[in-house]
Amino acid sequence: MSAIAIDGPAGAGKSTIAKLLAKQLGYVYVDTGAMYRAMAVYFSQNDINPDDENAINGAVDNIDISIEYKDGVQQVILNGENVTSLLRTEETGKMASKTSKYAAVRTKLVALQRGLAKKTDVIMDGRDIGTIVLPDAFAKIYLTASSDARAKRRYDELKEKGENCSFDAIKEDIEKRDYEDMHRAISPLKQADDAVLVDTSDMNIEQVVAALSKIIDEKKAGR
């Protein structure tokens, strides 16, 4: 089986690009962030304090997360319920950022992610795919962009949905999440030593896909 790892900070476009590459390559796309967000949905629905590690640890064993595909679109199932529509809310994102640092949460999901990679060709995106989850991936890419560029993308996305939002507040939240992700004790966000850095600040989607496709082709040729 072959695996491609894409890491990077929030809002860098990892999921969008990974989905397009998976379709292009015929790989299965595994959105690891969606798994963490599914756990976050459970914590929110059950009023679990994200700062209470003991409560988080006690809840993990009650959570089952699976991934299904319907008409080629990934569906995330939490304890038998499709929670895909709840994954992209601001509340879920903040809860996921706070709870993904805990060992019990990460241990459970890393095992699931590695299991998927053993069954089929996968492309995964997240914060620690190349460093922790799939250290033997044949292609590793660190996708990033300036906080201004990432905030603008999120702002435009929310505005398009008709939601009221503040660019400055979004940027501040992104920078806070970056700091938390990079400084957490367990599996901090960092570029793997053998990952290729791609800054997408001034690139459109087509340009990013082309750049990553070239990197993957070169990695395949060099294997």
Side-chain angles (χ1 to χ4, degrees), residues 16-17 20-21 24 203-214:
T16 299
I17 300 304
L20 292 170
L21 284 171
Q24 179 177 301
M203 301 168 71
N204 61 33
I205 291 174
E206 290 75 18
Q207 290 171 327
V208 178
V209 170
L212 268 60
S213 294
K214 182 179 179 182

Side-chain angles (χ1 to χ4, degrees), residues 4 7 15 17 36 82 96 114 138 143 154-155 162 214:
I4 299 168
D7 290 308
S15 297
I17 300 304
Y36 284 99
N82 190 327
R114 286 177 176 166
F138 82 89
L143 204 64
R154 184 61 176 159
Y155 177 83
K214 182 179 179 182

Side-chain angles (χ1 to χ4, degrees), residues 44-57:
S44 294
Q45 289 179 339
N46 290 275
D47 297 320
I48 296 172
N49 186 334
D51 297 318
D52 187 343
E53 185 173 1
N54 287 332
I56 295 291
N57 291 346

Side-chain angles (χ1 to χ4, degrees), residues 5-202:
I6 300 180
D7 290 308
K14 302 184 299 295
S15 297
T16 299
I17 300 304
K19 289 174 188 175
L20 292 170
L21 284 171
K23 188 173 182 180
Q24 179 177 301
L25 296 167
Y27 279 40
V28 170
Y29 167 61
V30 179
D31 181 355
T32 61
M35 294 182 178
Y36 284 99
R37 284 172 177 264
M39 275 206 168
V41 168
Y42 180 90
F43 298 143
S44 294
Q45 289 179 339
N46 290 275
D47 297 320
I48 296 172
N49 186 334
D51 297 318
D52 187 343
E53 185 173 1
N54 287 332
I56 295 291
N57 291 346
V60 166
D61 288 339
N62 299 323
I63 300 172
D64 179 62
I65 297 170
S66 59
I67 292 177
E68 298 176 1
Y69 279 83
K70 185 176 180 180
D71 298 326
V73 179
Q74 178 180 269
Q75 307 294 319
V76 180
I77 311 302
L78 169 64
N79 291 343
E81 177 190 356
N82 190 327
V83 295
T84 307
S85 64
L86 304 177
L87 302 183
R88 302 303 300 178
T89 67
E90 287 296 300
E91 177 189 2
T92 297
K94 290 176 181 178
M95 176 67 85
S97 184
K98 289 181 178 180
T99 57
S100 61
K101 65 186 177 183
Y102 296 123
V105 171
R106 304 196 72 81
T107 297
K108 179 157 187 171
L109 291 180
V110 166
L112 175 59
Q113 292 153 11
R114 286 177 176 166
L116 290 170
K118 288 179 180 179
K119 297 175 183 175
T120 187
D121 293 333
V122 298
I123 180 165
M124 290 191 193
D125 71 280
R127 304 291 196 279
D128 61 352
I129 308 305
T131 54
I132 301 296
V133 182
L134 300 176
D136 297 325
F138 82 89
K140 300 179 186 178
I141 296 158
Y142 191 85
L143 204 64
T144 190
S146 68
S147 57
D148 278 315
R150 288 182 282 142
K152 178 66 164 55
R153 291 169 186 169
R154 184 61 176 159
Y155 177 83
D156 290 344
E157 180 184 337
L158 292 172
K159 277 293 186 183
E160 200 171 295
K161 294 178 180 177
E163 297 184 28
N164 289 323
C165 55
S166 162
F167 173 84
D168 290 338
I170 292 171
K171 181 181 176 182
E172 182 180 346
D173 183 54
I174 281 175
E175 291 175 342
K176 181 181 178 183
R177 288 169 68 181
D178 283 353
Y179 183 87
E180 291 174 349
D181 286 341
M182 292 176 180
H183 291 84
R184 64 190 178 207
I186 301 171
S187 302
L189 167 65
K190 63 179 180 179
Q191 180 179 343
D193 292 338
D194 53 349
V196 180
L197 175 67
V198 177
D199 189 323
T200 70
S201 299
D202 300 314

